[in-house]
Amino acid sequence: MKRFPVKKALSELTKPEHSVLVVSGRKKEKVNIMVAGWVMRTSFNPPLLAVSVGHTRYTHELMKKYDEFVLAYPSAAQRDIVEYCGGCSGRDRNKIEEKNIETENAAKVNLLNIKGCRVNFECRKKAEFKTGDHTIFTGEVVNAVGDSEKNPLMNTGNYTYREINL
């Protein structure tokens, strides 16, 4: 077997991965959208998902403050939203207004779902774990809405994305 530098193996050889839009904040206050790749299921009963967020991110600050978040899996048609939200911080701007992202009120949490996504998982925070320079936030999925017929957008590395035909 061939030996790889760890950084190269972790950043390049673990792709493709889902690009996930993390919606955090509060509906009546400022809502932020961040792109994450490190998302996973952690339990069937109750249904739990986890997302890893860097300590320096504005989303980290919001997820520490509030007990709800949405994990939205974008469709391939939403590549421009992923590229925009992954390329700037929401700390000093309103990404939803600037990019004119279509949203609707979430049914079970005090946030917004992103229209056009394959699925929006509305989550209530259950736990958080500091892991090096990131925190893993675990949330119980309390509702799911979207358009599951749409093809997913996958991160293939180095800020490139591809549609996966299902």
Side-chain angles (χ1 to χ4, degrees), residues 17-25 31-40 49-53 59 63 68-88 95-96 99-103 109 111-123 145 151-155 161:
E17 66 188 7
H18 278 282
S19 296
V20 179
L21 300 169
V22 181
V23 184
S24 59
V31 174
N32 186 52
I33 302 172
M34 178 194 92
V35 179
W38 299 349
V39 178
M40 67 177 181
L49 292 174
V51 59
S52 186
V53 180
T59 295
M63 290 181 75
E68 299 173 324
F69 56 93
V70 171
L71 298 177
Y73 284 69
S75 67
Q78 294 174 304
R79 176 188 305 226
D80 60 331
I81 293 172
V82 171
E83 289 173 342
Y84 176 76
C85 289
C88 61
K95 295 179 188 182
I96 294 170
K99 189 64 179 167
N100 198 26
I101 298 170
E102 290 187 64
T103 62
V109 297
L111 273 164
L112 301 171
N113 288 325
I114 301 172
K115 289 185 176 181
C117 283
R118 294 191 73 233
V119 65
N120 288 267
F121 291 108
E122 299 173 18
C123 300
V145 297
N151 285 332
L153 182 67
M154 303 299 285
N155 175 4
Y161 303 93

Side-chain angles (χ1 to χ4, degrees), residues 5-34:
V6 172
K7 186 174 181 178
K8 175 185 172 79
L10 289 171
S11 66
E12 296 177 17
L13 302 177
T14 59
K15 302 289 188 288
E17 66 188 7
H18 278 282
S19 296
V20 179
L21 300 169
V22 181
V23 184
S24 59
R26 272 286 181 257
K27 188 168 42 181
K28 300 266 189 210
E29 298 173 26
K30 189 171 183 184
V31 174
N32 186 52
I33 302 172
M34 178 194 92

